[in-house]
Each structure stands twice: as structure tokens, then as C-alpha cells.
Amino acid sequence: MYTTVLLILSVLLPIALAWKTLHVWKKIVLRLQWQCQRDLQSELLRNLISRMQVTHDVQQQSHHKIMSYILPRLPRYISERAVTEQEVDDFLRYTATLQVIAQEPLLTLTQRFVNEHTTVRKNYRRPEDYDTVKEHELFRQYYRDVQMLWKEQQNALF
Amino acid sequence: MRFFNTFIRVMLPKEIARKSQVLSLLYVLSFSALMISTLYTNSIPQAVLALLGTIYMTSYYTNKLTSPNRFLPLRGEASVLVHDFTDVRHTLKATVTLDREQQKLVLTPDDQIKVQQLFLQQNAETNDFYRLMLQAKAQYEQLTALYAANRDVQVAEALGLVTLLHSHFIHGAEFTERALALPNSFPRKPTEAHTYILQLIRIALNRMDEAITHYENPEREEQFTKANAKMRETLRYVQG
């Protein structure tokens, strides 16, 4: 009787071990496939984005990117009546021209605004913490700085 | 903003499992043969040897199949599918090998180039965002040349506006693609808001194109003023 049991065991045991190991192997290959796909996809997207970029200089790219912080907040500031539409229009005109004719001063101003605004934003935990007064004050300060820089440049040009 | 609409899927063939299945069969047969032969002997040294052999065999087999840096060499024809949100557009066969040091599956370089070209061609045909950004890039270069030639304030403003538009949208799209790798990220497909934004960008860029091509005309100031105003309006509308 023991013999029969041991015989059956000696066939079933290797089959069970091999089954489990093949299962693990299949999982590993699936994971490798998924990683390959992810790497390929990210490589392709990076290639696509680098074709769309105007410059491959990293510093220039970061100079261009900095306005991405401010542009999405403009509609909110308009609706909260911190600035009027005409003022935002002028603001965009000043920023666009200054970005070409006086890039470094504009960058300093914008960097300062972004840093101050990030400090204010860090204390937000819930949607009710949105401090309208401080945000508007910061943005109006930045707007005044930009306007001042623009006037200086106008006087320097003409 | 989900402006990318072409994706890749890699599907490995079923034949990759062949080698490991053969190895498993060999393992099972030798293991059971060893155990059955031990059952019918009376000598202890043979039993000890059989035990050691079993342990060695099992550890070899398990290591071979469960640690990727010791796998049997994998090589197969994977099918790479290029698809958008609804269905598969193209299928490509690419050879995939296992790189043991990095523990990754890699495509051969020629196949990688082929896949890249297919992806770029697909985007050039169907991805409106890609085409608009290329148009903006061309305008950036034209305006830089124009501004370098004659220091016109309007041209400076146009150049700055095109740069703002271009960098903002590319930055946003890149950010969204990376964020979508995190769980619970939205939107997964482009919505009508995206189509609307693309339309606005298209109108603004076309106006700017007209203003640039008619730069030699006497009424270029008006045209540039209008084109700049249109660009500013688009930028004001951007919600991020």
C-alpha cells in the first residue's frame, strides 16, 4: 500500500512543482512584456515631444515653461474680479513682448511671483483654504511689476 | 489635456513558452524516474544520492524559470499594435529578445526604428495637436528670423505670444501623459473641450500665418494687431 501511495506521490509531486513554476514563469514574462511596452511607449512619446519642441536647450525650455504656471490661473482671477479682461489682455501683451526684448528681468519677476505663490499654496489643505485676498494681492503686485518693466522698456526704446 | 491619441501595445507570441515547457517536461520525467528508482532499491547511498540529485535538479529548474537574469534565451516575433482609443490601426512584427543584464525585453534596433517611423507617420496623419504644434514651431522660427531682420515691436509681441502658446500646451500635454500613469487620473480620452481648444488654437495660428505671409504688404500693422489680439484671446481662454 505504501508503495502505491509513494508511486502516485512520485508522479504527482513533480507535476505540481512544475505547474507552479510554469505559472510563475508566465507571470514574469507578462510583467516583462508590460515593462517593454511601457518603455517603448514612453520612448516614442519623448521622441514626439522633442520633435515638437522649438529648442532643445534645457534652460531656454524652462524659461518658456514658466508661464504655464500663470496662464491657467488667469480665467479664475478674471472671474473673481481681481483683474479685468482688458488688464489681462494688456498683461499678456506686456509679457509676450518682454519675453523677447527683456527676458532676464521678466524671468526674475516671474520667478519671484511663482515662489511667493507656491509658499501661499503650500498651506492649502482643503478647498475652503483658498485665500482670495492674498492671491489677488500677489497677482496685482506682479502685474504692477510687469507694467513697470514694460514702461521702462518703452522709455529705453523711444 | 489629453491630446495624444496614438498608443502602442506589444503582444508576445505563444511560442515563447515552448522552451520552458520542454524543460518542465524533462524535469518532471527525470524527477519521477529518480523517485521510482529509489523506491525499488535497498541501498542507502543510492537513496542519499537520489535525494541530493533531486534537490539539485529542483533548484536548477526553479532558478532557471523564475529569475529573469538566468532565463533560457528568449527570442520571438512579437506583434506591435499601433492603436488609438477605439481600434487598432496598424500591426507590425518586431523581433524581441531578452536582455539578461538589464532583465528587460528589448526590440532589435531596426525594428525599433520601424516602429518609431510608423508611430510618427500615424501621428502626422491623425494627431491634430501634433500638427498644430509643428505649425506653431514653424511660425516661431519665421518670427525669430523676422525679428532678427527688423526689430519690430509687433513682431516681438507675436513671437512672444506664439512661444507662450506653444510651450504652455506642450508642457500641459507632457504633464498629463505622465500623470495618467498614476491611478485615478482623468481624463483618459479627449473630450469635446479638447476639440474646442484645438479649434481655437487652429484659428489663432492661421491668423498668425496670414499676418506673417503678408509681411511685405503696407497694411501689415493692422493684420499683426488683429493676429496678436486673436492669440491673446486664445491664451486668456486657456484653462490648463
Side-chain angles (χ1 to χ4, degrees), chain B residues 59-104:
Chain B
S59 68
Y60 174 80
Y61 169 68
T62 321
N63 277 341
K64 207 68 178 160
L65 251 63
T66 56
S67 42
N69 55 350
R70 262 175 291 181
F71 269 8
L72 298 162
L74 276 178
R75 193 187 176 86
E77 283 276 307
S79 55
V80 174
L81 309 168
V82 175
H83 63 96
D84 59 5
F85 291 106
T86 41
D87 42 33
V88 179
R89 296 281 162 185
H90 293 279
T91 318
L92 192 65
K93 289 274 181 209
T95 325
V96 170
T97 47
L98 176 70
D99 186 349
R100 282 207 193 152
E101 295 81 47
Q102 299 170 6
Q103 300 190 18
K104 283 201 290 198

Side-chain angles (χ1 to χ4, degrees), chain A residues 10 25 28 32-33 37 39 41 47 51-53 64-65 67-68 75 85 88-89 93 96 100-101, chain B residues 7-8 10 32 35 65-66 103-104 116 120 137 147 156-157 160 163-164 166-167 171 232 236 238:
Chain A
S10 73
W25 181 87
I28 294 180
L32 286 175
Q33 172 187 313
Q37 181 179 302
D39 291 340
Q41 178 78 63
N47 193 18
R51 271 170 179 258
M52 289 197 278
Q53 298 277 20
H64 288 167
K65 258 190 216 182
M67 284 303 286
S68 309
E85 296 240 5
V88 171
D89 206 58
R93 188 154 55 94
V100 179
I101 61 185
Chain B
F7 306 98
I8 294 270
V10 173
S32 15
M35 276 188 81
L65 251 63
T66 56
Q103 300 190 18
K104 283 201 290 198
Q116 223 161 49
L120 283 174
K137 177 177 171 177
Y147 183 68
E157 186 189 334
T163 318
L164 280 179
H166 176 90
S167 68
H171 182 56
R232 286 198 302 262
R236 248 189 301 143
V238 160

Side-chain angles (χ1 to χ4, degrees), chain A residues 44-95:
Chain A
L44 288 171
L45 270 179
R46 255 186 300 149
N47 193 18
L48 194 70
I49 289 178
S50 82
R51 271 170 179 258
M52 289 197 278
Q53 298 277 20
V54 295
T55 157
H56 286 132
D57 177 22
V58 181
Q59 201 177 36
Q60 189 99 15
Q61 278 176 10
S62 70
H63 289 189
H64 288 167
K65 258 190 216 182
I66 206 164
M67 284 303 286
S68 309
Y69 190 88
I70 296 167
L71 280 177
R73 299 175 202 277
L74 292 177
R76 185 168 194 176
Y77 289 152
I78 295 177
S79 72
E80 287 174 357
R81 282 191 284 273
V83 272
T84 57
E85 296 240 5
Q86 184 55 43
E87 284 178 331
V88 171
D89 206 58
D90 292 333
F91 170 74
L92 285 171
R93 188 154 55 94
Y94 302 158
T95 321

Side-chain angles (χ1 to χ4, degrees), chain A residues 1-7, chain B residues 39:
Chain A
M1 199 226 354
Y2 282 144
T3 328
T4 335
V5 167
L6 282 172
L7 261 177
Chain B
L39 206 56

Side-chain angles (χ1 to χ4, degrees), chain B:
Chain B
M1 282 158 272
R2 192 85 204 266
F3 286 127
F4 294 118
N5 57 3
T6 314
F7 306 98
I8 294 270
R9 271 193 75 193
V10 173
M11 320 243 313
L12 293 174
K14 299 258 175 17
E15 294 79 47
I16 282 193
R18 194 67 55 206
K19 276 190 198 164
S20 57
Q21 279 168 349
V22 165
L23 187 64
S24 306
L25 192 64
L26 274 176
Y27 169 73
V28 165
L29 288 177
S30 51
F31 194 130
S32 15
L34 203 56
M35 276 188 81
I36 292 174
S37 70
T38 324
L39 206 56
Y40 288 113
T41 57
N42 283 329
S43 62
I44 296 195
Q46 186 162 348
V48 170
L49 271 177
L51 190 65
L52 291 175
T54 318
I55 294 174
Y56 174 72
M57 223 173 20
T58 311
S59 68
Y60 174 80
Y61 169 68
T62 321
N63 277 341
K64 207 68 178 160
L65 251 63
T66 56
S67 42
N69 55 350
R70 262 175 291 181
F71 269 8
L72 298 162
L74 276 178
R75 193 187 176 86
E77 283 276 307
S79 55
V80 174
L81 309 168
V82 175
H83 63 96
D84 59 5
F85 291 106
T86 41
D87 42 33
V88 179
R89 296 281 162 185
H90 293 279
T91 318
L92 192 65
K93 289 274 181 209
T95 325
V96 170
T97 47
L98 176 70
D99 186 349
R100 282 207 193 152
E101 295 81 47
Q102 299 170 6
Q103 300 190 18
K104 283 201 290 198
L105 286 171
V106 287
L107 272 72
T108 45
D110 319 322
D111 287 329
Q112 221 164 14
I113 294 176
K114 264 198 286 179
V115 170
Q116 223 161 49
Q117 279 171 349
L118 184 60
F119 186 74
L120 283 174
Q121 182 215 356
Q122 185 66 20
N123 267 301
E125 287 168 13
T126 58
N127 198 346
D128 289 332
F129 177 66
Y130 180 60
R131 281 193 291 204
L132 286 174
M133 288 299 119
L134 286 180
Q135 189 182 0
K137 177 177 171 177
Q139 279 181 8
Y140 175 89
E141 276 147 21
Q142 286 167 342
L143 283 169
T144 325
L146 262 183
Y147 183 68
N150 32 8
R151 304 244 151 206
D152 194 356
V153 174
Q154 272 189 324
V155 174
E157 186 189 334
L159 176 59
L161 286 169
V162 169
T163 318
L164 280 179
L165 190 86
H166 176 90
S167 68
H168 173 80
F169 280 110
I170 290 198
H171 182 56
E174 200 181 351
F175 180 83
T176 308
E177 275 314 304
R178 273 210 291 260
L180 281 168
L182 303 170
N184 292 333
S185 307
F186 294 96
R188 300 214 178 88
K189 285 193 193 187
T191 56
E192 277 151 19
H194 295 87
T195 333
Y196 185 52
I197 291 180
L198 285 178
Q199 186 63 20
L200 289 180
I201 302 175
R202 193 176 297 134
I203 294 174
L205 287 177
N206 286 344
R207 284 274 180 92
M208 187 61 75
D209 259 337
E210 280 174 26
I212 295 177
T213 45
H214 295 149
Y215 190 68
E216 310 303 323
N217 290 2
E219 71 260 7
R220 68 154 182 263
E221 282 204 19
E222 280 174 45
Q223 274 198 323
F224 257 106
T225 324
K226 277 198 265 201
N228 287 345
K230 193 72 195 167
M231 274 275 181
R232 286 198 302 262
E233 193 185 314
T234 313
L235 283 172
R236 248 189 301 143
Y237 191 77
V238 160
Q239 296 278 343

